[in-house]
Amino acid sequence: MARDTWFETVSIAQQRAKKRLPKSAYSALLAGSEKGLTVSDNVEAFGELGFAPHVVGACEKRDLATTVMGQEVAMPVLISPTGVQAIHPDGEVAVARAAAARGTAMGLSSFASKPIEEVIAANPKTFFQIYWLGGRDAIAARAERARAAGAVGLIVTTDWSFSHGRDWGSPKIPEKMDLRTIVEMMPEGLTRPSWLLEWAKTLRPPALRAPNQGAKGEPGPAFFNVYGEWMGTPPPTWEDIAWLRELWGGPFMLKGVMRIDDAKRAVDAGVSAISVSNHGGNNLDSTPASIRALPAVAEAVGDQVEVLLDGGIRRGSDVAKALALGARAVMIGRAYLWGLGAAGQAGVENVLDILYGGLDSALRGLGKASVHDLTPEDVIMPPNFVRALGVPPAGA
Ligand SMILES: Cc1cc2nc3c(=O)[nH]c(=O)nc-3n(C[C@H](O)[C@H](O)[C@H](O)COP(=O)(O)O)c2cc1C
């Protein structure tokens, strides 16, 4: 990336994305729910954790590579599935290329704007993310399409609670991109000429469709139609999760686990991995930061399944803290979306480089040779930091 567009922190990527994207697109990336308590806690909680660095005796070379759900990755940072990548004409394909260029894996959202076949061509290390939408037959058909496309695992996200209010207001997302919508949105677009030009070059507006919710080769249903169907679908039971896990047969993650009892039930349902996550604070506001829930969940099931964390990762040092507290790897959401909004594929690569560099620097400071050497003793934790959710009260 040219020196003048390179950014040195995720915070600067966010500022660039804000400047470059139309207001509604930027605000869709910001997301969050209700008062934004969880989205803030996800980030702020990392600031409560400290380090005690060594001054002499650092390892000359640090090893950041690991494996996650059977995939070798160059660093313990994966792309979490997110559904708003139509902010860029190349969307998920740009993100997949960036992840592949930096040797890591990608989760592809059910609401992706690009077909899974194109994304896997850009990065074979792709997990397909499934929402519980439309009943078993429809879900099985989507999983089979993902399998045929070469997806190396499934990520099942069941924590969405349809919380739609935000104290700072939600962006207006059009139902379809017809001429009328384009004319209506033009004033907003004109304030962001470089973004508009990028789309103008493609000679087509953002499609606002979900191509992976339909059959291969078709444009897919409109986003809002799928969303409506999702709202009308009965939520899954643990038997449903076990059924899908059995049907899939390969690496399988349940994303959004915050409680020990849920983590144990996920193990019983046969999952191979969980992500301790509150959907980036976009759901039930007042849920604690995922990093607060991680230590107890990792202690309860970390020897049986791979435990990942997502939520609030903005720095390489955050990754080090999560690993020290029991995560095998982390997944990122907003950080790479801001990179994508700021500078497309190069912006996502830039974000991954920031996290790699920051993690490497943390390992050096802590005197560790490898990401596998981090332990809870590497982190200074204030009293009452941990939230052990889903444990029966003492004496019960
Ligand atoms: C704009 C946006 C869209 C998202 N869409 C999805 C999605 O389609 N599927 C999913 O499993 N998670 C989705 N997530 C949640 C992310 O996968 C991840 O859990 C979260 O972003 C992590 O928090 P962070 O943004 O602080 O890194 C979305 C998050 C954001 C911010």
Side-chain angles (χ1 to χ4, degrees):
M1 183 189 279
R3 188 74 205 168
D4 58 345
T5 47
W6 178 83
F7 40 83
E8 64 189 87
T9 63
V10 168
S11 178
I12 297 177
Q14 179 177 4
Q15 292 162 33
R16 298 264 175 91
K18 186 174 185 184
K19 217 167 147 190
R20 190 158 187 280
L21 297 174
K23 197 167 173 244
S24 54
Y26 173 74
S27 145
L29 299 190
L30 211 53
S33 65
E34 298 289 332
K35 199 177 175 185
L37 296 168
T38 300
V39 77
S40 302
D41 196 33
N42 272 352
V43 176
E44 301 304 324
F46 279 104
E48 293 176 26
L49 297 170
F51 290 127
H54 288 288
V55 64
V56 170
C59 301
E60 187 186 348
K61 287 207 171 73
R62 278 81 50 193
D63 182 10
L64 274 64
T66 190
T67 59
V68 177
M69 295 216 290
Q71 299 303 307
E72 290 180 4
V73 284
M75 61 174 147
V77 179
L78 281 72
I79 299 292
S80 206
T82 64
V84 281
Q85 296 171 33
I87 52 154
H88 188 279
D90 293 334
E92 293 78 5
V93 173
V95 174
R97 285 188 190 128
R102 294 301 181 263
T104 195
M106 147 127 188
L108 180 71
S109 167
S110 271
F111 287 121
S113 64
K114 297 285 180 192
I116 187 165
E117 293 77 13
E118 278 181 38
V119 173
I120 290 179
N123 187 349
K125 294 179 183 176
T126 295
F127 306 112
F128 184 58
Q129 180 260 318
I130 285 203
Y131 278 129
W132 208 262
L133 195 170
R136 284 192 180 188
D137 288 351
I139 289 166
R142 269 174 239 133
E144 291 308 336
R145 178 174 166 192
R147 192 199 305 277
V152 291
L154 274 194
I155 297 177
V156 179
T157 309
T158 54
D159 63 356
W160 190 251
S161 54
F162 298 96
S163 165
H164 295 131
R166 298 181 176 106
D167 287 356
W168 54 98
S170 294
K172 189 168 174 267
I173 301 173
E175 279 189 31
K176 54 182 175 197
M177 266 298 172
D178 54 11
L179 192 60
R180 193 178 151 174
T181 310
I182 292 172
V183 171
E184 269 174 21
M185 295 193 76
M186 199 47 93
E188 197 189 336
L190 286 172
T191 63
R192 297 292 186 269
S194 64
W195 181 84
L196 202 60
L197 185 68
E198 197 161 50
W199 277 100
K201 280 194 243 162
T202 69
L203 300 176
R204 57 178 174 83
L208 302 183
R209 287 183 174 276
N212 300 301
Q213 294 301 117
K216 180 182 169 187
E218 290 176 3
F223 171 81
F224 275 97
N225 293 353
V226 183
Y227 198 83
E229 191 187 355
W230 187 19
M231 290 181 85
T233 305
T237 61
W238 284 108
E239 288 71 35
D240 287 324
I241 301 299
W243 163 80
L244 183 55
R245 197 264 166 277
E246 184 73 25
L247 177 109
W248 177 253
F252 186 101
M253 175 193 288
L254 184 65
K255 174 171 175 281
V257 175
M258 288 289 289
R259 302 169 51 112
I260 294 170
D261 49 2
D262 281 359
K264 288 183 174 166
R265 296 195 78 165
V267 172
D268 292 344
V271 309
S272 30
I274 56 174
S275 189
V276 177
S277 161
N278 49 39
H279 213 110
N282 300 328
N283 264 338
L284 192 59
D285 201 26
S286 292
T287 304
S290 48
I291 188 71
R292 297 189 196 280
L294 173 70
V297 172
E299 195 183 312
V301 299
D303 56 347
Q304 298 168 76
V305 292
E306 292 183 1
V307 176
L308 282 80
L309 168 129
D310 70 79
I313 300 285
R314 304 288 182 268
R315 302 172 192 282
S317 56
D318 296 341
V319 183
K321 291 170 182 175
L323 266 49
L325 296 185
R328 182 172 186 85
V330 302
M331 302 200 292
I332 54 169
R334 289 174 184 82
Y336 79 83
L337 287 173
W338 290 328
L340 180 70
Q345 177 186 340
V348 180
E349 289 170 0
N350 193 152
V351 164
L352 290 170
D353 290 344
I354 290 168
L355 298 178
Y356 187 98
L359 175 58
D360 187 48
S361 150
L363 289 177
R364 184 181 170 131
L366 294 167
K368 302 287 168 176
S370 147
V371 287
H372 300 289
D373 298 340
L374 289 162
T375 70
E377 286 74 50
D378 293 314
V379 166
I380 305 163
M381 195 191 284
N384 303 322
F385 179 85
V386 172
R387 302 285 185 280
L389 310 180
V391 210

